[in-house]
């Protein structure tokens, strides 16, 4: 059994960052997006092509708390540096600040940031 980010994982966060990049006048290339978040159908197909028989698959929301008032900024800094390739540091910092402002009403609950994680859990056997 394995578990990983599935279709829609952190989409609210990453879509907002990409929007900020475009609003600031920078190009965003698909190659800058470092992740592959498949649907169950996409991943099960890949497993079957590799010779596995998929015996279980589940796609579910897993809201994930991010520590402190700077939780979202820290998450973006840690996991999203490639999204900001070629963007000056001061502009990147402004984009992160704007992302926080834009998402505060959506992802800040009860005094903490909650990342919109979507997970896939899948099991397969290779006969």
């Amino acid at each position: 059994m394995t578990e990983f980010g599935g279709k829609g994982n952190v989409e609210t966060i990453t879509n907002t960052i990409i929007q900020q990049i475009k609003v600031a006048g920078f190009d965003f290339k698909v190659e800058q997006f470092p992740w592959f978040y498949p649907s169950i159908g996409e991943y099960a197909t890949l497993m079957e092509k590799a010779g596995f028989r998929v015996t279980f698959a589940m796609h579910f929301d897993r809201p994930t708390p991010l520590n402190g008032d700077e939780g979202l900024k820290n998450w973006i800094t840690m996991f999203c540096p490639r999204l900001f390739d070629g963007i000056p540091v001061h502009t990147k910092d402004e984009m992160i600040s704007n992302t926080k402002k834009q998402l505060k009403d959506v992802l800040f609950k009860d005094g903490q940031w909650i990342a919109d994680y979507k997970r896939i859990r899948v099991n397969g056997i290779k006969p």
Side-chain angles (χ1 to χ4, degrees):
M1 177 140 347
T2 190
E3 183 178 309
F4 51 88
K7 187 174 179 83
N9 191 47
V10 294
E11 190 171 72
T12 303
I13 299 169
T14 56
N15 282 352
T16 303
I17 293 168
I18 293 166
Q19 176 191 23
Q20 288 297 321
I21 291 168
K22 291 176 180 178
V23 165
F26 292 91
D27 288 331
F28 181 79
K29 299 172 187 71
V30 174
E31 299 82 36
Q32 287 172 256
F33 196 84
W35 305 289
F36 171 57
Y37 296 133
S39 68
I40 287 175
E42 289 172 307
Y43 200 74
T45 299
L46 291 173
M47 287 180 69
E48 289 169 347
K49 285 181 181 178
F52 287 89
R53 182 170 62 94
V54 177
T55 59
F56 173 83
M58 182 168 84
H59 189 209
F60 59 97
D61 293 347
R62 192 190 80 197
T64 302
L66 306 174
N67 293 330
D69 187 51
E70 294 299 316
L72 181 61
K73 177 183 177 184
N74 294 338
W75 187 92
I76 292 169
T77 301
M78 181 182 300
F79 293 109
C80 301
R82 257 182 89 187
L83 298 181
F84 297 100
D85 281 354
I87 296 174
V89 173
H90 70 280
T91 305
K92 172 186 148 186
D93 292 343
E94 185 177 327
M95 288 176 185
I96 292 172
S97 179
N98 290 341
T99 297
K100 282 180 60 178
K101 288 176 192 169
Q102 191 171 341
L103 294 179
K104 189 141 190 167
D105 289 341
V106 179
L107 297 179
F108 195 76
K109 307 286 183 200
D110 300 322
Q112 79 181 121
W113 290 98
I114 307 293
D116 58 325
Y117 278 36
K118 310 279 190 274
R119 306 293 291 172
I120 287 181
R121 189 173 293 154
V122 64
N123 191 50
I125 56 174
K126 198 159 189 177

